[in-house]
Amino acid sequence: MSHLPIEFFARREAEMLALLGELVNCESPSTEKPAVDALGRRLAEILGGLPGTVETFPQTQSGNHLLYRWGGDDRPLLILCHMDTVFDLGTTAQRPFRVEGERAYGPGVLDMKAGIAMAVTALRALHETPGGPGLPVQLLINSDEEIGSTSSRALIEKLAAQARAVLVLEPATPSGAIKTSRKGVGDLRIETQGTAAHAGAAHAEGRNAIEELAHHILAAQALTDYSRGTTVNVGVIRGGTRSNVVPDAAEAEVDFRVTQMEEALRLEEWARSRTPQVVGTGVRVRYELNRPPMPRDTLMEVCYAKAFALAVQLGFFLNEEAVGGASDANFVAPLGVPVLDGLGAVGDGAHSDREFIMVPSLAERTALVAALIQSWQE
Ligand SMILES: [Zn+2]
């Protein structure tokens, strides 16, 4: 099968940059529904210019999600993008979209407004090609990825379960690698209860909730197992009111990352089996796995090999990396559906004020995305 070459998209670079600039300057912090919805309406307009339909999934808290479909529901190829960013409103007033040499800057430019611009450009190009994309395609643009995809998770899982493959246009690594393994992410909340008492007059009657918490903090930290890719971080502690009062409550917030589901289960079992160490106190641990791990299994190997071969045909080398952060690809992996992540632009500094993309990567990676879409025709 012949694919649209990188040069085809290089000729559209100015057009892609214009679209990307518009998307960046249309600010969309996850927590600002009106702003995210404004970007969603603009994206619906843009996608409305393509053959196919655009559906809005209204939300009460987060921004509305957007689904573009073309070619029916027979095992479509699903592309995943998110339109929200981690940047507050007003950031573009200080740092508007700008291109300097081979780099383009701006809040969310890499994560992942470039991915949206690439998806739109790839679909438009395929529709202009005789035969079109050659298979049913869907593009889901959700609004809450940066805050855990709480309101979009069910929709992602439903669409992904029916898809023949899922392409996630999150950023590539700085070296241009796609992400073939992502850790699962979750949190533990350790709460201890004691009995308040005067620290001088009635010390023996007090039951110190902070002392109790300290035992569980050390135990939680000890759950880290680098050899299995498991990290546990007690990141926040709270408790007590004054130094002369025996504290009756304390709590800790813990982040954990795992590469294997068995490790998530080990932590869950740990959370369930906590017992008080200080006589007269109580402890409770709440466990939540926000995103399951995406391991580099045999299916992932096959998907990577496919992408690698297509990149070679297009004329570039496509590396792969394992990363600690999670994305919506983590929801797809447990379904056993082929998924490729990190297909978006190459750049660095996501979630920071030095965020940028390498402009030439737009054409290169869009060519790969278009080729990948076509490659799932059988
Ligand atoms: Zn992202």
Side-chain angles (χ1 to χ4, degrees):
M1 189 187 311
S2 71
H3 299 295
L4 292 166
I6 292 171
E7 299 74 58
F8 175 92
F9 293 100
R11 284 194 297 274
R12 296 185 174 198
E13 190 180 272
E15 193 185 312
M16 288 178 83
L17 282 173
L19 173 57
L20 179 55
E22 184 189 352
L23 299 181
V24 169
N25 288 335
C26 196
E27 296 185 306
S28 51
S30 318
T31 48
E32 301 286 345
K33 178 173 169 60
V36 179
D37 285 345
L39 175 57
R41 283 193 297 275
R42 179 64 188 125
L43 285 168
E45 239 171 59
I46 292 167
L47 291 167
L50 300 177
T53 59
V54 184
E55 191 179 346
T56 298
F57 291 81
Q59 304 298 313
T60 49
Q61 303 286 318
S62 67
N64 302 331
H65 311 308
L66 214 58
L67 176 64
Y68 164 83
R69 320 168 182 248
W70 179 84
D73 289 329
D74 179 26
R75 294 173 59 242
L77 182 126
L78 174 65
I79 304 170
L80 285 184
C81 291
H82 65 84
M83 65 179 114
D84 60 321
T85 75
V86 299
F87 297 100
D88 292 337
L89 288 180
T91 308
T92 51
Q94 293 142 29
R95 301 190 286 113
F97 177 77
R98 70 179 204 282
V99 181
E100 273 175 29
E102 290 203 324
R103 294 181 175 194
Y105 297 84
V109 67
L110 173 65
D111 187 9
M112 61 176 292
K113 289 181 171 175
I116 298 176
M118 289 169 53
V120 169
T121 305
L123 289 172
R124 188 176 286 150
L126 289 173
H127 279 306
E128 289 168 6
T129 306
L135 74 173
V137 286
Q138 299 183 339
L139 165 62
L140 177 68
I141 308 180
N142 65 340
S143 67
D144 61 349
E145 194 276 342
E146 298 289 5
I147 50 172
S149 300
T150 318
S151 75
S152 54
R153 178 176 182 169
L155 182 59
I156 292 168
E157 289 175 337
K158 182 177 158 234
L159 294 171
Q162 297 158 358
R164 64 182 78 190
V166 181
L167 307 180
V168 184
L169 272 58
E170 288 281 2
T173 71
S175 68
I178 61 169
K179 299 166 177 178
T180 51
S181 163
R182 282 186 183 272
K183 287 191 177 182
V185 182
D187 47 70
L188 301 168
R189 190 184 194 89
I190 310 171
E191 296 167 338
T192 57
Q193 301 83 43
T195 307
H198 192 296
H203 188 278
E205 284 152 41
R207 297 288 177 265
N208 194 313
I210 293 178
E211 183 186 356
E212 172 64 17
L213 181 64
H215 288 280
H216 303 289
I217 287 174
L218 293 177
Q221 287 289 121
L223 293 167
T224 292
D225 185 343
Y226 293 129
S227 71
R228 293 183 201 167
T230 302
T231 58
V232 177
N233 180 59
V234 178
V236 178
I237 56 170
R238 271 183 227 99
T241 52
R242 286 174 171 72
S243 64
N244 62 357
V245 178
V246 176
D248 65 354
E251 63 181 14
E253 291 175 19
V254 185
D255 171 288
F256 69 82
R257 316 258 160 168
V258 292
T259 54
Q260 309 157 32
M261 203 54 207
E262 303 83 72
E263 283 291 280
L265 297 174
R266 177 172 72 94
L267 301 192
E268 186 175 16
E269 176 54 27
W270 179 88
R272 205 174 26 226
S273 60
R274 289 288 86 197
T275 52
Q277 305 296 301
V278 175
V279 175
T281 64
V283 59
R284 184 173 70 145
V285 183
R286 276 188 288 174
Y287 163 97
E288 199 177 341
L289 180 63
N290 307 118
R291 286 190 171 104
M294 179 178 84
R296 189 188 188 285
D297 54 17
T298 42
L299 180 59
M300 185 64 80
E301 264 173 50
V302 171
C303 291
Y304 171 61
K306 186 182 187 98
F308 181 88
L310 286 173
V312 169
Q313 283 176 35
L314 290 166
F316 70 101
F317 182 84
L318 185 70
N319 215 333
E320 61 168 329
E321 273 178 41
V323 295
S327 83
D328 287 337
N330 289 66
F331 296 134
V332 181
L335 303 173
V337 174
V339 59
L340 283 166
D341 192 7
L343 292 167
V346 181
D348 203 355
H351 296 200
S352 82
D353 60 7
R354 56 181 200 92
E355 180 180 17
F356 68 88
I357 64 155
M358 297 302 297
V359 173
S361 74
L362 288 176
E364 193 173 279
R365 316 280 291 194
T366 306
L368 178 62
V369 168
L372 276 167
I373 294 172
Q374 291 180 309
S375 78
W376 254 287
Q377 278 180 24
E378 296 79 37

